[in-house]
């Protein structure tokens, strides 16, 4: 893969904004370079635009190098950066196998990038030949999500390998839910595939959706391109500090993940006993996709009981399905109590 041929010409030529602190290298006590308010408060200084401390911690935890990491204001920012770096508006295109996370399509549309949508099979697995058949000389990115949202399953490794080997552009593997899968994911393959780009987030297993921390992993060449176009201060000081503190104590994440896995199993079994439930799809994530008769009726019934789930019944391959996040043990028992009454309602 020749990266400079993949990058948009204007981005290749771009001279990035250099921050006040980028110009200065060395030690100083007096900072009069950034027009900040000099009177001390927790946040009077600009954040580190390179998120050095946070990246070093992530590198240690994930066994990669700091140069292979970009931190975004949520994964959504990283997805947007990929479009802006690699895809020429009105000309180029990306492939997004469906059904999957809706943000890839929205971000493509915002950036005026055409999208192609081969279907996953009935088990929500890739059909690599169908995916590759959508590729033409203007295809820059393929978005894969594993474990996949909204189906919950990991995508087969060999299928992803086939796509990585055959496709000349960048293959994005979104691993927002990887901690719930208890598999190692794709980070260890970064050295083997220069066109692999992995996205993770602190929004799910780490319980920090409010901080907005998304993490991209790729070759240092890809990371340099994305870093060049990101807003300099994209991750604020409070988020950098809180994220660093959280990453220093993995036991909190581990406990959340363990509880979620126990609850997932219990919920899966309980849901299967409901007479109107037709299938509970196997999940490697912290949610279950549930197929039933009258999914929309069930959705409305739950709302009337103050419980919100995600109605996916209009989504291709997810007809008659609700996507239900795994909650606390108490949330889940409230959910089941309400679902049991739905049977009763229907029999009235
Ligand atoms: C929840 C989710 C994310 C997380 O996005 P953030 O912007 O980091 O909160 C990313 N990808 C998928 C597939 C998700 O479901």
């Amino acid at each position: 893969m020749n990266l400079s041929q993949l990058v948009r010409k204007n981005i290749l030529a771009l001279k990035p904004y250099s921050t006040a602190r980028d110009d200065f290298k060395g030690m100083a006590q007096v900072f009069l370079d950034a027009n900040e308010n000099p009177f001390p408060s927790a946040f009077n200084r600009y954040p580190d635009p390179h998120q050095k401390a946070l990246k070093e911690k992530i590198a240690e935890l994930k066994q990669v190098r700091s140069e292979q990491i970009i931190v975004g204001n949520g994964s959504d920012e990283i997805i947007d950066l990929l479009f802006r770096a690699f895809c020429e508006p009105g000309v180029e295109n990306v492939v997004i196998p469906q059904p999957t996370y809706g943000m890839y399509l929205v971000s493509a549309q915002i950036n005026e990038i055409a999208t192609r949508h081969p279907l996953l099979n009935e088990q929500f697995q890739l059909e690599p030949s169908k995916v590759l058949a959508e590729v033409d000389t203007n295809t820059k990115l393929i978005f894969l999500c594993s474990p996949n949202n909204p189906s919950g399953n990991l995508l087969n490794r060999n299928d992803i390998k086939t796509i990585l080997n055959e496709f000349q552009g960048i293959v994005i593997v979104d691993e927002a839910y990887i901690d719930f899968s208890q598999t190692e994911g794709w980070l260890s393959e970064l050295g083997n595939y220069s066109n692999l780009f992995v996205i993770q987030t602190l929004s799910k297993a780490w319980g920090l959706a409010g901080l907005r921390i998304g993490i991209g992993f790729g070759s240092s060449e890809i990371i340099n391109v994305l870093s060049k176009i990101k807003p300099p201060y994209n991750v604020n000081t409070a988020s950098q500090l809180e994220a660093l503190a959280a990453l220093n104590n993995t036991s909190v994440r581990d406990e959340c993940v363990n509880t979620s896995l126990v609850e997932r199993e219990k919920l899966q079994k309980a849901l299967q006993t409901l007479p109107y439930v037709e299938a509970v799809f196997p999940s490697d994530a912290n949610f279950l996709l549930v197929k039933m008769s009258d999914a929309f009726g069930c959705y409305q019934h739950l709302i009337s009981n103050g419980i919100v789930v995600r109605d996916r019944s209009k989504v291709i391959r997810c007809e008659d399905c609700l996507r239900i996040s795994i909650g606390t043990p108490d949330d889940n028992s409230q959910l089941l109590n309400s679902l049991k009454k739905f049977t009763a309602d229907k029999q009235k």
Side-chain angles (χ1 to χ4, degrees):
M1 187 184 75
N2 184 344
L3 195 69
S4 56
Q5 280 176 2
L6 278 183
V7 181
R8 291 169 67 202
K9 297 213 162 40
N10 61 317
I11 302 297
L12 210 53
L14 178 77
K15 189 174 180 307
Y17 178 77
S18 99
T19 70
R21 293 295 123 80
D22 279 336
D23 288 346
F24 165 77
K25 303 227 169 18
M27 300 279 279
Q29 266 107 51
V30 180
F31 288 100
L32 304 176
D33 57 342
N35 301 345
E36 294 154 332
N37 184 321
F39 301 104
S41 77
F43 301 116
N44 66 317
R45 298 296 176 187
Y46 278 103
D48 174 8
H50 309 295
Q51 304 109 15
K52 194 163 176 290
L54 182 55
K55 281 183 190 167
E56 277 169 13
K57 185 69 213 175
I58 295 167
E60 175 198 322
L61 209 62
K62 300 288 177 177
Q63 300 289 297
V64 300
R65 288 177 289 113
S66 278
E67 305 79 55
Q68 294 175 294
I69 299 172
I70 180 165
V71 182
N73 186 14
S75 310
D76 293 344
E77 182 178 48
I78 294 177
I79 294 165
D80 180 65
L81 289 175
L82 287 162
F83 281 105
R84 287 196 283 147
F86 295 107
C87 303
E88 199 59 41
V91 178
E92 295 180 324
N93 68 73
V94 303
V95 176
I96 309 173
Q98 297 290 347
T100 195
Y101 184 45
M103 202 58 207
Y104 314 133
L105 173 60
V106 171
S107 200
Q109 290 174 337
I110 291 169
N111 287 288
E112 204 195 342
I113 305 304
T115 55
R116 288 142 184 230
H117 302 282
L119 276 186
L120 298 173
N121 71 17
E122 304 262 329
Q123 287 77 46
F124 299 105
Q125 288 297 336
L126 291 163
E127 298 190 66
S129 58
K130 272 199 193 170
V131 174
L132 293 165
E134 299 292 340
V135 171
D136 66 18
T137 53
N138 282 326
T139 306
K140 291 302 192 71
L141 312 172
I142 298 180
F143 283 89
L144 307 178
C145 185
S146 180
N148 187 45
N149 178 4
S151 54
N153 58 295
L154 284 161
L155 300 178
N156 291 334
R157 267 190 111 74
N158 282 338
D159 295 338
I160 296 181
K161 276 194 181 164
T162 304
I163 292 170
L164 280 163
N165 283 324
E166 302 291 322
F167 178 52
Q168 305 300 312
I170 295 173
V171 179
I172 292 125
V173 181
D174 185 341
E175 296 189 331
Y177 300 98
I178 195 67
D179 290 300
F180 300 101
S181 77
Q182 305 202 296
T183 61
E184 71 162 330
W186 283 86
L187 288 182
S188 61
E189 301 279 358
L190 283 175
N192 299 330
Y193 299 97
S194 61
N195 60 341
L196 171 61
F197 189 86
V198 177
I199 300 177
Q200 296 188 358
T201 180
L202 299 192
S203 295
K204 306 287 156 64
W206 293 92
L208 298 171
L211 291 187
R212 312 306 302 127
I213 301 276
I215 312 166
F217 301 88
S219 70
S220 56
E221 290 80 11
I222 297 179
I223 296 298
N224 285 343
V225 173
L226 299 179
S227 300
K228 188 162 120 166
I229 63 170
K230 80 172 181 62
Y233 304 114
N234 61 327
V235 181
N236 69 67
T237 302
S239 291
Q240 290 191 43
L241 290 173
E242 290 290 333
L244 193 55
L247 293 171
N248 272 314
N249 183 6
T250 53
S251 62
V252 176
R253 173 202 56 179
D254 295 342
E255 267 176 47
C256 288
V257 169
N258 288 340
T259 308
S260 294
L261 295 187
V262 171
E263 286 295 305
R264 184 175 79 195
E265 175 110 16
K266 284 203 316 212
L267 203 53
Q268 196 148 19
K269 291 208 172 99
L271 289 168
Q272 271 156 354
T273 67
L274 296 169
Y276 55 91
V277 166
E278 290 160 18
V280 183
F281 292 96
S283 174
D284 298 293
N286 66 337
F287 56 85
L288 292 167
L289 188 69
V290 188
K291 191 178 181 76
M292 57 184 72
S293 51
D294 194 15
F296 187 63
C298 184
Y299 172 76
Q300 285 176 313
H301 163 84
L302 287 171
I303 296 246
S304 73
N305 284 209
I307 298 171
V308 195
V309 299
R310 192 88 154 118
D311 176 21
R312 299 282 77 186
S313 59
K314 305 286 178 296
V315 172
I316 193 152
R317 286 249 192 277
C318 301
E319 295 80 8
D320 307 314
C321 288
L322 300 182
R323 192 197 69 193
I324 304 178
S325 304
I326 311 297
T328 64
D330 182 56
D331 292 337
N332 301 333
S333 64
Q334 287 193 48
L335 169 80
L336 285 170
N337 284 338
S338 178
L339 286 173
K340 281 173 195 157
K341 278 190 260 153
F342 182 58
T343 326
D345 285 355
K346 283 189 73 172
Q347 284 166 351
K348 259 183 231 160

